[in-house]
Structure formats: C-alpha cells, structure tokens
Amino acid sequence: MSDAEKSPLEETEDGEMEMEEEYNPDYQKLEDEEYNPDYQKMEDEEEYNPDYQKLEEGEEYNPHYQKLEDEEEYNPDYQRLEEEEYNLDYQRVEEEEEYNPDYQKIEDEEEYNPDYQKLEDEEGEEDTLAWKESQETEAAIAKEMEEQAGEGQEEEIAGEQEEIAVPQEITKAMMSFERLTFPGSQSIESGASLKKQSGSGSERLLEPEGSEVVELSPSEIPNLDQNGSEEQQPSDELVEKTDQMPEREVGPEKGGWRKGKRVSCYLNPEGKAAAPKESLVSTSTEDALFRKDDSARVFPLTMTWAFGWNSSLPVFSIRDENQRVLLYVCAHTVVIYDIFRNSQHHLQGHANVISCLCISEDRRWIATADKGPDCLIIIWDSFTGIPVHTIFDSCPEGNGIRAIAITRDAKYLATISDGKDQKICIWKWTLAVETPACTLDLNKEYGFQNYLIFNPTNNKELVSNSKTRAIYYSWYEEKNTLAHSAPLLTEKTFNKLVGKFSQSVFHLNLTQILSATMEGKLVVWDVHRPPPSATTFLGFPYIKPCKLVHLQKEGITVLTTIDSYIVTGDIKGSIKFYDHTLSIVNWYSHFKLSPIRTLSFSKTPPPPAAEKSSYPPDCTLKGDLFIVRNFVIATSDATVYHLTADGTKLEKLFVEPKDAICAVACHPYQPLLAIGSLCGMIKVWDYESKTYLFSRVFEKGIGVQSLTYNPEGAILGVGFTEGTVYILDAMSLENEIAEPFKYSRSGVTQISFSHDSHYMATADENYAVALYQVVVKHGQRVWEYLARLRSHHRSIQSLLFGVHLDSNEPRLLSLGRDRLLIEYNLLKTCKDHLEVLDIHRTDQGCYPTCMVWYPPLTKELFLLICNSGYKVKLFNSTTKMCRKTLLGPTYGSPIEQIQLLPVKTTSELQKRYLVFINRDKVGLQILPVDGNPHKTSAIICHPNGVAGMTLSYDGCYAFTAGGHDRSVVQWEINLSALEAAVSLGGEDLTPFYGLVAGGREGQFYRELEDYFYYSQLRSQGIDTMETREVSEHICLSEVPYVMRAIGFYPSEEKINDMFNEIKFGEYVDTGKIVDKINLPDFLKVYINHRPPFGNTMTGIQHSFEVLGYTNSEGKMVIQREDLLRLLLTKGEHMTQEEMLDCFATLFGMNPEGWKSEPAATSVKGSEICLEEALPDEITAEVFTTEILGLTISEDSGQDHMVSEV
C-alpha cells in the first residue's frame, strides 16, 4: 500500500480532519456490477432493505442497494429513499444478514464517511495520485476488506455487536459533516460548517461555542410509513422505540429519520468532537412542557400570559388524567394551559391570526394555520412545544387557510384555502416537503367549504362541507389524483327542508357519511367504492344521498364520533349520544348551557365500571351503565367546561369575554388588571398570581369601550358604547353614583382623571369633550356633571390632564385628528360652559395620533405628540412651539398610543422609557428620542389590530387588548435586553449613517459633503476675489437649499420648524441663539425631518384621489386649470410670478437653481405658456415624472397614512 493508503487522515493547520471527496481509503467504490465478497446479493424475494439505494444517474445496478419498483413498493418499517438520500451510520440488522456500520456509500462526489475528513487539496497530492492508481491496488484492498469482513462475520455469529471505535485523530478536531444524510433526511450539520447545501434553500449558520442548539432530529416526526396504507401506527410509539435502542442510535429503529431534519455536532471544551445530542422531541414526556426553565428573558418584550381566547375555534383536551391540560388559540398564538398548575405555554410562530387548528389522535402533534399575507402551516410537538415542521407559501394567493385536518396516525395533513377560489391540498408533512402531494381546485358552486375531516380508518378519504354542499374526496396517491363527489341536495331530494350544513363525519360503519344541519337533521350519504379486486378501472368512488334523519328539533352545531357513539351538540346546549343505528343512548340537557361550539374527548378510554363508579344508566331498555370518556365543552359564550362522566360532574373551567375587548386598565398601586368587553363584561384579574378575582356583566346592549382607574385607585371610570359613563368602586365594581351619567349619544372613547382626582374628562365619538368634578354634598364627596363642548371636527385622539408649572392646579388638553391641540381653562369653566384657553395646529399634512407628557429629562418641559408620518414632535408645554421633530419607530404603521413607563425608584428618573402600540405591534422606546432606530424594539401582539394598552404600576408589565380577537396579552418588559441592542447599534453618528444610502462611505454622503461645502462658497459670494474662509459650519439660511439639493423638499412650515429647532437648541442651557450648523448635526436634522420612506407614488396618488376625479379612462386626474388654481390659492400658495418662474425652470427655460445664484436672472418666466406646456388632464405619474422630473422609489410595504385632507 502507498503512504496515502496507510495513513488516510492528516491534520490540517486549523485542526480539522479532511479527506479528498472522491476517495475513501478503506473501501473502494463499487463500479458497474463488480462483486463485493462482503455482502450477499439480494435474492429473488424482492425484499427491500432501506440501507441500499438506487443509483442516481442512469439505471445502473448496485448490488448493495435495492431499486425501488415503479409501484413505489416499500417495507413499511422504513422510509422511502428520496433523491440523494442514504443511511449514514445505521442499518437495520436483518435476521441472517451481517451488518457493519463502518461501510458507507459515497454519492455524487459530495458525501463521505464521517469517520474520515476531507484532506486539503494542497496537502493531499499523494492521496489524489493514489486514487488515480487505485486500479492497480484494487486486488490488495479487496483482499484486506475480505479479511476484515470475515472477522466481522465471526463476531456476529457469536451474537455480539461491538461498538464502533472512532479513531483518536478524529476526536481531536470537529467533524465537518457535509451532505451526509439518513434515509429520508436532509443533512447532518457541523457547527463549523457554513457551506450552503446544494439543492436546498437554507444556509447553515455557525453556532457559538457552548451554545445549546435546538435542532430537530429525525425522530421528532412521527414514525410513519409511506405507502399510505390503512395500517395505523400511533405516533406515541416513537418514544417507546427510541428508549429501547442501543446507545449509539439516535433515531427510531423503523424509518425514523426524516427529510429536512438535522443533527448538530460541536467541539467540546477539550477540542474533541462532541456526540450529537439526542432530540428533545424524542426524549421528552408529556409533563416536560411545563418543567422548562423560562427564567432567561433575552427579548425586550416577552409574552407571559394570555387572557381570553378565540371562541370561534375549537378547544382540545390534551391530557385528562393526573393533569388537565387544554389547547386553544389566542390571536396568533397557540396556548397550552395546565389548569391544575395554573400555567401557560405559548406556541409562537404565526404572524397572522390563526384561522384553524387540529390535533392528532394521540394528542402529540398539533397543526395550526393562519390566513393573511405569507401564511404559514406549523406542526408542533405538544410534549416540548417545538415546531417540528413549517410549511411556507402554503397559499401563494395570500388568502390563507380556512380548514385543516390531520389523519389519525398523523401522517398526512389536508387544508382548504380561504378565499373566493378555494383549493384543497394534501401534505406529506413527515417528509418535510414544501409542496403538497396533491391539490384540487374547488368549484365556486360548491359554496365556501369551512369544515374538513379525514376518514379515521382510511387516510385516502376525506369529507368537507359548506353550508349548502358536502364533498367526498378519494386520494389516489399513485396517480396524483384527488377524485371528488359533490352531489347537489335540494328540497326535492327528500321532499323536505334539509337546512344548512354544519359539520360532517364518517359513519362508524365506514360505508356512509353523515352531515348535520341547522334544522336538527342528519343527511346520510352512501359511499360507493369500486371493488378492490377489479382488474380494470371502474371509475372513482362517489357518494349518493341515502336518507334524511330528523334527529331533533334544535339545530346541530357539533357532530363527531367517539368509540362506538355518534355525538351531537346543539344550539340549546344539549349533548346527545347515538349508536351506529342513530338510536339515542344518552344525553346531557339539564346543564342549561349556551350553544355548543366544540366537544373534545379525553384520549384515554374510560376504565371499566367499578363498585364505586357512578356512571349513569343509558336510556336503552337494558339500562346498561353509560360509560364514556371525559370531555371538554366549549360554548358560544366563550365558556369552557369539563365533564367527568363518572358521576356526571360538570366543572366550569373559565369564562372569558365573548365579544371584542377594547378597554384595559391597571390599578395605580396594586397588581390588578381590569378588562372591558363589548359584551358588557368587566373582569378583574390579579396579574401576578394569574388569578381571576371578580367581574360584573352589565345589561344587554351596552358594551364597555373605555376604562380608567383614578390616581388614588379607589374608583374606576367606565365609558360605554351608547354614551353612558359609570363610576364604580374599584374593589367591588358597584356603582359609586346613584345614576350613570348620560350626556352623550355616542360611544365614550377616552376617560381621564386629574392628578388630584378632582376632575374627570371624557371624549366621545361625536368629537365632544365632557367634564365632571367632585363636589361635597351633605358631608360626602359626589361626582357631578360640569360642562360639555364639541371642540373638534374630527375624532379625538388623546385626552390628557397635566399640572400648571406655577401652581398645582390641573390643566386639560385634547388632541384631535383635525390637527388641533386645544387647551381648556378649568378655572373659568362653569356649569354647562367649558372654556377654551388656546388652540394650536400641530401638523400641516400629517395628522396627530397620540400625545403624552415628556418626562423632565431637560430643563425645558415638552409635550410629546406622534403623527401619522412616523414622526415624534416635542412642543414646548407653555408656548406650544414645535421645538423638535424626530424620526419615530417605523414598524409598518404609525404609533397609535403611547405611555411613559413608570419607575420604581428615584434613581431611575434620569433613564426613562416609552411603551407604544401601532396597528399590530407593541414596542419600547428609549428616551431621549433622537431618531436612533436602535433605541426601539417592537413585536407583533395582535395581527388584526391593537385596541388598547396599559402598564403595570411598577413598570414590569405591559398589557395589550386585541379588540376583535377577544384577548389581552401580558408582556414582561426586559430593559437590559433593549439596552444591549442599542450598544450593538453603535455610538454617536454610526446609527445615523446606516439610515442613508451607502452609509458613511456611500455616494449620497459624499454628495452631501460637496453640497455642504459648496453652500459655504455661495454664502461668501460666488464671484468674490477675497480669501475664502473654510469652516465646519454653514449658516441657517443655507439649510433649505442643501435640503432641496439632496432630494428633500420641505414646506415653509417645516423649514421654520428646522430653524426653531436649530436656533433654540442650546437656549435653555446657555441663553444663546445658534445661527449655524455643522455637518453631523445637519445629517441628524435631515434624517429626522425627511419622509421616512422617501417620495413614494402611493402618497402622491392619494393626493390626486382627494383633489382630482376619475376620467373616462378610469384614471385619477386633475384638470390643468384646477391645478393652477390650487397652487395659487391653497396651502402655502404661490404668487403668479413665483408659479411661472417655477414652471419655466422645470421645463428648462431657466437655468437650474437660477434663483439661488446671485449672478443669475430670469427672463423666461413671463414668456412661458402653461396652456401649451401642460396637458389638459394631469395624472399622478405625469405630474411626478414629466413635470417635476422626480425619480419615485418603490413602495416599502409600510402604511402611507401621512396626510389627510
């Protein structure tokens, strides 16, 4: 042998062991049909061994691997081998076949044995030559292999299987596994590998040393065979089989490796290759989920509790023995709630509201789907909470998923899309594929299909229904065909009214399908299947209506099967059990429940009746004991019950609001959270112990729209949708006043108390502000109505009390969408007269969204106002002058509500934070606001919209109300994580350089420097012959010209705001007015004042929609005469001369920038003919590109609600 053959492994400079890809020094790759004496060729019985694989290129036969037949025959104990997949180290040991796990097939010149490493090209020339000369040494190598194989046979006959020893050289360095796959798996990754896997779209990431990586091992997915047979194999057997394996094996014995699942290998502290960790999924037990240590909070905001749930979706009972664990949905989060422990675990991964979910028969695998853009389908492991597989782009149309179902053995998923054009898809999710195995477009005539279920005994059959049509599906996997049958039912079919379908199931006899209707009837369908023994194709299966059974008078809302019973739930709250002949066996109707929404039975079969059992008798003549599993009941009023069959014990688990939640409030010094719903319910929780305290439900027809505790925490002000205002005792929710105030005809949207609790102000949907005060009557403090004023002409965004600087008297301000900031004179206000002190306009184009008092971080006191242009403005609290304009958080939509985070100690007063919400997110902002984007962080809290927010008295928690998703989420605040993110963003100007194109070294910044210094020349005179003075500043008068030169065109009002910001920036500290600005400060002013997303066509088109009209071609246009009139009369209008000069410059008749150059004059302005230069009808595109000559950027996907007329 050559040296390369004797010492195939060499250590490289970086400590990694590598090997030439094409060379395995111990074993020669089999070519064509050469015979290897170590393995026995498979006999004619066509047995399939998953350790052998079909060669990829051509149809060449390798005697070590069995070719799969066209009929996709397989051994159900093993996974079908996919393209470029093979078994790495593990092989099934057949009864009379020897197995040596050190032998490995190398494929496509990219796969190798992990016991050997790839040699570097420059260090492996000898090995490369040895490979080229391998034909000469083949006989010697084969002889040695034969001797080794013979020894292995003797050991195996002796009944012993030795553990494979890893060479010592390999343990000194990390094993870099590339393209080493298991049958049905994708790759084994090394923590040191950054190579992109060929044929996949995922890149490998380098994990930090010592980090614990949650990689999904193949055993995380249920052990399912692939031929779609009707043989059932519960997925909980997976754990049992794993526990019985040899120590070396990680996956299950039978086909447990799955595609797309990866195992990571890292160096241990001694520099040796660490063994792959066993999967959390494969080793966890049922109670592992709530034993996790979640103490380490690494995000600024962490979800800790979910109040409420989506009562439109089902509730599932996951465990019902020593534990009582429920599964339900809260907005875009799946909640696993352990009732006995009073603990929640949240499955977070969806960005849209979850629209449907299902769970496997063994309660191990949870499948969830959402609807909206970039919708996802996620399969979770309920033991660990780990998402084992995610399907992206499941609905490219963006409609999302309406219904989802999973087979009893958890092998397949089926989904129906949500939209006008529905599509049903079947997914082989255990193969980790991204495309469905079969799809079918549904005819619109079938109606909107909203319910889907598999045949529990046949994975290839499904049924779905809309309100008017039931559809039966039969999946032919080998033909990639989904046949369906959807017969039309009319009143003439049975000569009776059928009613609207609610749910459908397969009958217990397997030959029929049952569809329940809202008329209390069951439609029985016969399933006609061609005989399996037929040698010729006799057509697809189909269903035919057989009979109409009138079960009951009440409409059936739930239809399911359990054990030997067919179960129904109806709109009267009754639950009835029938046998296979549809004869009633038992029912529960005496509980007087609301309409049944879902029924979920325990996964554990009921034990036989014992002496102490208290099962009720059934209603048959025999009167046998009615033994059924325990089950969970969810009703339409958002109440969840648990029924214990033994003894018929009904336990109410929780009651949540059944309508939208728009109001939340925290007590000022106790851990109390008040939640108000449009259903008229107020519910108070202790948010530290997560316990429900007390509640009150108001009369039907009025809903809670606003809630606020007074600063003393003694009373709770409540505003209702029909205009009434209640003042309640904070600890009992009893009325504090004899009669509620009713001075408004519309909903009360805002409630605020003064700091001394002497005044209470409300705002309603009719743009009016009402004021109430405390008076003393007969020695008691009582609340009285004082005055009301309709002060705004658009919706009131904020209502805020403050304190006068020169006294302790309260002050009241209101902010409207009409851009008006109004302060009221409380001292001069009397009965039925609310005095206005002053009115200020806050914005020119954008509208304000909210306001809050800025903390006293500086000597000057400010009022902080956010607007729809993603800006934060600071106004002097006395003069109302706009002192600063800053870039606010830009997370998809403008800020809608903002609050100052309370502090616990006086030492924290100099470091303050803001908590804000926008359309669908909650976030944190570090003060002072300066435009640094790294000072903010946000997370999706309610994808369908946030209705309100409140903060705990100690600043540890934020609470967000989700409106129509009927939930409130508690967020733990971790300020240290936010501070860490700021430090990573850089200091001084570094964060701001990243906000301009190209950064500090980019072309934009270089041009800015050129304009900046050119403006110094202009200010000193272009034609001067005197010595130039070069400085780091430019005068304020040059700021507008530089702004316009770099593409920002501020209005005169914005220019005035810039001047005030610069001039008075140091006035409070030094008493001096600044008249110049340097380049770094100029960059900050530019970034904070410019539009956050540039000039977008969406904003311009919106202006044309407001000012123009639709022409005969369907385009929004403005007439030429109307455009000229608007320029001369509206907004910051021009004079006739200014307008003509501008158009002359735009059309090239004047030199560009002529007016700003001292030596240039205009002689063309009066000569231009606008009737000839401008078209009769001007569109947004023509105005932007042809008249203004601007290059418009693409829309960024953000909300462009930046202006309102």
Side-chain angles (χ1 to χ4, degrees), residues 467 491 494 496-503 515-523 548-558 568-572 576 578:
K467 292 182 178 180
E491 295 183 6
F494 299 106
K496 292 181 180 179
L497 177 65
V498 176
K500 295 181 178 180
F501 292 131
S502 56
Q503 293 184 0
S515 295
T517 74
M518 297 305 295
E519 296 295 326
K521 302 174 182 178
L522 279 184
V523 177
L548 183 66
V549 181
H550 199 163
L551 283 185
Q552 57 191 58
K553 296 180 180 179
E554 299 81 12
I556 301 174
T557 56
V558 176
T568 65
D570 58 42
I571 59 176
K572 292 293 186 179
K576 300 179 181 180
Y578 301 87

Side-chain angles (χ1 to χ4, degrees), residues 237-447:
E237 295 181 8
L238 175 66
V239 179
E240 299 174 3
K241 293 184 179 181
T242 306
D243 295 339
Q244 299 172 359
M245 289 179 190
E247 181 179 355
R248 180 177 173 86
E249 296 192 12
V250 179
E253 289 182 337
K254 297 183 179 182
W257 298 111
R258 288 292 179 262
K259 184 176 181 180
K261 305 308 163 191
R262 304 177 295 183
V263 179
S264 295
C265 180
Y266 301 102
L267 284 178
N268 57 25
E270 289 78 17
K272 296 183 179 181
K277 298 182 180 180
E278 286 196 76
S279 165
L280 292 177
V281 175
S282 63
T283 59
S284 296
T285 58
E286 285 188 348
D287 58 347
L289 186 66
F290 296 98
R291 292 204 309 258
K292 285 188 174 182
D293 182 15
D294 295 331
S295 59
R297 305 296 187 187
V298 297
F299 301 105
L301 289 165
T302 303
M303 182 179 180
T304 59
W305 198 263
F307 302 91
W309 63 290
N310 186 351
S311 55
S312 300
L313 297 178
V315 175
F316 292 105
S317 174
I318 299 183
R319 292 158 213 155
D320 189 23
E321 295 176 348
N322 298 328
Q323 306 178 66
R324 186 165 297 167
V325 182
L326 301 182
L327 172 75
Y328 55 88
V329 169
C330 175
H332 64 307
T333 303
V334 181
V335 180
I336 301 178
Y337 178 36
D338 189 324
I339 295 175
F340 293 158
R341 288 191 176 104
N342 192 30
S343 177
Q344 288 184 355
H345 185 87
H346 305 118
L347 307 182
Q348 297 176 274
H350 290 277
N352 305 307
V353 170
I354 295 175
S355 57
C356 52
L357 77 161
C358 61
I359 191 167
S360 62
E361 181 71 15
D362 60 1
R363 305 298 196 269
R364 179 71 189 267
W365 311 103
I366 304 165
T368 58
D370 60 56
K371 61 180 180 180
D374 301 322
C375 62
L376 301 177
I377 300 174
I378 304 180
I379 296 89
W380 314 80
D381 172 31
S382 67
F383 287 6
T384 62
I386 294 176
V388 296
H389 184 49
T390 300
I391 300 175
F392 300 91
D393 299 325
S394 59
C395 188
E397 298 81 7
N399 299 322
I401 305 300
R402 183 62 183 90
I404 191 169
I406 191 169
T407 56
R408 175 167 290 188
D409 58 3
K411 288 173 57 175
Y412 305 119
L413 276 178
T415 60
I416 297 181
S417 60
D418 187 11
K420 295 181 179 179
D421 300 320
Q422 288 188 292
K423 177 188 296 185
I424 182 171
C425 301
I426 297 179
W427 308 83
K428 295 181 179 180
W429 71 272
T430 59
L431 301 183
V433 294
E434 294 295 331
T435 56
C438 190
T439 62
L440 175 67
D441 293 324
L442 300 180
N443 196 319
K444 292 182 179 180
E445 296 178 355
Y446 298 159

Side-chain angles (χ1 to χ4, degrees), residues 1008 1011-1012 1015 1034 1038-1047 1082:
L1008 175 59
Y1011 289 130
F1012 191 83
S1015 65
I1034 60 173
E1038 294 294 318
V1039 170
Y1041 297 106
V1042 181
M1043 290 288 183
R1044 293 174 184 132
I1046 58 178
F1082 180 90

Side-chain angles (χ1 to χ4, degrees), residues 474-487:
S474 181
W475 178 30
Y476 290 82
E477 181 179 4
E478 63 280 359
K479 298 180 180 180
N480 195 26
T481 300
L482 188 62
H484 70 287
S485 173

Side-chain angles (χ1 to χ4, degrees), residues 854-862 875-877 879 883 1064 1068:
Y854 197 73
L857 300 177
T858 61
K859 296 180 180 179
E860 188 175 3
L861 296 181
F862 297 112
F875 291 83
N876 183 280
S877 62
T879 64
R883 289 282 290 103
F1064 301 107
V1068 176

Side-chain angles (χ1 to χ4, degrees), residues 49-51 78 87 90-101 156 161 246 249 253:
N49 188 324
D51 298 330
Y78 296 93
N87 189 323
Y90 310 118
Q91 287 188 342
R92 179 184 176 191
V93 180
E94 302 291 344
E95 292 183 356
E96 296 184 2
E97 293 183 5
E98 67 178 74
Y99 162 65
N100 190 330
E156 186 171 349
Q161 184 175 0
E249 296 192 12
E253 289 182 337

